[in-house]
Amino acid sequence: MSTDSTEDIESVTGELRDLLAGPHASTRATVLAGLEPYAGLLEEAETLGLDEFRDRVRDVVVELAGSGLTGLGFPKEYGGGADLGASIAAFETLAHGDLSVLVKVGVQFGLFGGAILQLGTERHHEAYLADLVSARVLGCFAMTEHRHGSNVAALETVATYDKETEEFVLTTTREDAFKDYIGNAARHAELAVVFAQLEIDGESQGVHAFVARIREDGQPVVGVRIADDGRKMGLNGVDNGRIWFDGLRIPRENLLNRFADVDADGTYRSEIDSVNRRFFTMLGTLIQGRVSVGGAGLTAAKVALTIATRYALQRRQFDSESGENDLETRLLDYGQHQRRLLPLIARSYALTFAQETLVDQLHRSFSGEVPDEEAEVFRRELESRAAGTKALATWHATRTIQECREACGGAGYLAENRFTALKADTDVFTTFEGDNTVLLQLVAKGLLTDYSSEFSSMDQLDLVRFVAGQAVETVVERANVHKLRERIRDLLPGGNEEDADIRDPEYHLEMLTFREEHILAGVARRLKGGIDRGTAPGIVFSHVQDHVIALGRAHVERVVHEAFVDKLESLPEGPTRELLAKVADLAALSAIEADRAWWMEHGRLTVQRSKAITSEINSLCRELRPEARTLVDAFGIPDAFLRAEDLVAESALS
């Protein structure tokens, strides 16, 4: 595509911006307009003292809550907007601004509020939702412990039921089992949703969630100790803290009882008999946070790419051979600089469309649009997709921000530009809402079990035993990826990917599906072989873990590519589709090139084809070079949120 006139460029930019904004474009625009008055917070993060900045961030969150921008996912009767999709879009948009505000919003409305909404019942909704949606009451989400982060099922905080008083007694069972890294805890939270092992008459019923008051008039209540985690690498506007419970008593009604309840006489009731299944069902309702963090990471990556691309379009270095008024060459006219930025832009587009698909599935699942007979499997697939998309999106953000900082040289290292905050504030996104490596294990678990009814309650050892009990061919053939490959092979010339057009989306999909299916079979074979040899399940899993992670990543790479192709095929012919087709080709071929050693090892990529892919990526970068500004302008990042005036000021460097 060649956009020769200003009018053409503006038209394509606008169409791309609408595509990226998706079905909640109006919500994004409203949130962005409401956020712009707080753009100065990006500078205040560096000039205010720690407590001052924390209080300033709290004040901004309370003001945003007053505007209704932060409670869109809650029922209307409690001051919300009853639109989960719009809620995710609003959160992603908040990532344009200071990320401490974003995370504090996430803690208050996503984690604390989301837990009460999803795990509680009407009595909890009536008691808490209106106040938390309006931010009249601030809370925290006390799940993670110092000794247990990813292994939530092994938490050591205990809630013991006292029949005499009809109360739960919350106790931190050992000094180093305190709740840790809890956002809002150190300074502002009055209430907490506390995850603890429920014990009745000495019998454990597994992890449950409770609402507890931890602070009154600014001071910890009796039975609660709170400590400050102190300064962090970033996000210092969020008051992360530690909590110990020393026999804190809370009413029986404070158990969030959507999935289980305790009668006054201590009788435990739940429609889900299995402790493990009950636990994973509870966690499955909280995936909104995982979806939100992935989207916020993508927004941060787009901010970085906008800065670095605009800088590269102006910054000049070394003599030009173009005869352009004896000026030096623009950075983006160098092939390697194109290689640094344009594939990352393409991957940002791909992940954005994958995120849009994920949010749509989330909205359908939680709004009851999925037929009852399909709902359980749909929810399990959603959990897996949310885990994988979050992992790839946040890793992409970390890599992209670093590459963009380097692409701006020494200027990018100055604190007056936003890279300092972007790097520091987003680094933990790969850990928030689940460590990315652990999340890819969840993805692989779903593939290996075909999202069976036992999926939710399986731990690693159960997974090994389950797969070992199946024939490898059965594991592979029942997977959706196997059926997909059968269809694709019929579409390729001669059924041979080597004969396919290197820019054919079906060729890209064949390569990605082959890798996924092959790794799936390999993992199943190794798990089964280990058990057949009499090796302990735990050791078998450890020996195969790298293969398991590779499977999860391969699956999500394929899903991301499919989302981009689906978006592309939904567009009418014209300049925008033509441009996006090149972006999609660049994203797919870059993914293949990044792992080309694997395809060559497995006989699916010849040396000649591998070289051809590299050559094609270089050609695509040259073709997209004139459209670079259009592609990043479509991200829609206002200059006020770039906070990089010296890097993007056109008159200074052109």
Side-chain angles (χ1 to χ4, degrees), residues 80 133 261 269 314 339 356 362 370 382 396 485 510 599:
V133 169
D261 208 350
R269 294 184 291 103
Q314 301 162 59
R339 268 281 192 157
E356 180 184 315
L362 179 74
V370 181
L382 171 63
H396 170 69
R485 281 205 69 223
E510 157 62 17
W599 276 285

Side-chain angles (χ1 to χ4, degrees), residues 153-318:
L155 295 179
E156 294 173 283
T157 302
V158 173
T160 305
Y161 184 63
D162 184 341
K163 298 178 187 177
E164 298 300 320
T165 61
E166 295 187 22
E167 293 174 314
F168 294 105
V169 183
L170 291 174
T171 305
T172 302
T173 55
R174 48 186 293 167
E175 190 63 19
D176 59 354
F178 52 86
K179 299 294 182 182
D180 207 358
Y181 323 116
I182 309 302
N184 275 4
R187 192 171 177 87
H188 297 139
E190 301 162 71
L191 299 177
V193 170
V194 182
F195 289 80
Q197 304 284 355
L198 171 59
E199 287 190 0
I200 304 173
D201 294 331
E203 181 181 355
S204 176
Q205 299 293 343
V207 174
H208 290 64
F210 306 81
V211 179
R213 177 164 291 280
I214 61 170
R215 200 178 259 111
E216 189 89 58
D217 297 326
Q219 297 299 317
V221 300
V222 175
V224 172
R225 287 178 287 146
I226 298 175
D228 197 323
D229 274 320
R231 283 192 174 274
K232 308 178 293 292
M233 183 186 294
L235 298 174
N236 283 303
V238 182
D239 51 318
N240 294 83
R242 301 169 175 177
I243 308 173
W244 291 260
F245 298 99
D246 301 318
L248 176 68
R249 289 181 170 271
I250 59 175
R252 178 175 63 89
E253 292 77 14
N254 284 28
L255 168 66
L256 295 176
N257 64 336
R258 177 179 173 185
F259 298 112
D261 208 350
V262 177
D263 294 335
D265 63 1
T267 301
Y268 181 81
R269 294 184 291 103
S270 176
E271 294 182 2
I272 306 173
D273 293 333
S274 165
V275 171
N276 276 352
R277 190 176 178 205
R278 192 162 56 236
F279 169 70
F280 284 106
T281 300
M282 175 183 70
L283 292 188
T285 65
L286 303 177
I287 65 169
Q288 178 181 342
R290 193 165 285 167
V291 175
S292 298
V293 169
L298 279 175
T299 300
K302 291 170 186 174
V303 172
L305 284 165
T306 300
I307 296 170
T309 302
R310 288 177 58 177
Y311 180 75
L313 286 167
Q314 301 162 59
R315 177 70 169 174
R316 297 175 181 271
Q317 287 290 283
F318 302 106

Side-chain angles (χ1 to χ4, degrees), residues 441-620:
Q441 289 182 183
L442 175 63
V443 175
K445 183 173 75 170
L447 297 170
L448 289 162
T449 62
D450 194 32
Y451 308 100
S452 70
S453 58
E454 297 91 347
F455 168 78
S456 294
S457 58
M458 282 185 186
D459 60 18
Q460 294 172 355
L461 304 188
D462 293 331
L463 171 65
V464 174
R465 296 186 186 101
F466 180 91
V467 176
Q470 313 290 313
V472 173
E473 293 77 12
T474 301
V475 173
V476 174
E477 288 177 6
R478 72 185 175 198
N480 287 334
V481 66
H482 178 75
K483 305 179 185 72
L484 183 61
R485 281 205 69 223
E486 299 249 326
R487 179 185 66 80
I488 296 168
R489 276 196 293 263
D490 293 338
L491 297 175
L492 291 175
N496 185 350
E497 66 271 7
E498 288 289 319
D499 296 330
D501 184 339
I502 209 163
R503 294 194 186 188
D504 185 348
E506 296 293 348
Y507 163 65
H508 306 153
L509 191 54
E510 157 62 17
M511 294 291 281
L512 295 171
T513 52
F514 170 79
R515 180 179 61 174
E516 181 184 347
E517 185 179 54
H518 193 283
I519 296 175
L520 175 63
V523 172
R525 191 173 294 111
R526 290 180 67 191
L527 290 173
K528 184 173 177 60
I531 293 297
D532 289 347
R533 288 190 297 271
T535 308
I539 295 175
V540 172
F541 184 83
S542 181
H543 288 175
V544 182
Q545 199 166 17
D546 61 328
H547 217 158
V548 169
I549 301 304
L551 172 59
R553 182 186 285 273
H555 172 72
V556 185
E557 290 277 11
R558 189 258 298 174
V559 167
V560 168
H561 174 68
E562 285 183 311
F564 203 155
V565 172
D566 288 345
K567 175 61 69 173
L568 195 59
E569 291 179 348
S570 71
L571 302 179
E573 295 293 338
T576 300
R577 177 167 176 160
E578 183 184 337
L579 174 57
L580 264 189
K582 292 181 180 180
V583 176
D585 289 340
L586 181 57
L589 290 174
S590 296
I592 293 170
E593 184 190 47
D595 202 21
R596 61 181 166 185
W598 187 93
W599 276 285
M600 295 177 79
E601 285 176 356
H602 293 83
R604 302 296 288 196
L605 194 63
T606 64
V607 172
Q608 292 75 18
R609 189 70 164 182
S610 175
K611 290 179 178 179
I613 286 174
T614 295
S615 177
E616 201 68 27
I617 290 172
N618 290 336
S619 295
L620 281 164

Side-chain angles (χ1 to χ4, degrees), residues 351-365:
L351 285 164
T352 296
F353 297 135
Q355 174 76 2
E356 180 184 315
T357 301
L358 173 62
V359 172
D360 176 66
Q361 291 177 342
L362 179 74
H363 182 82
R364 289 175 58 203
S365 178

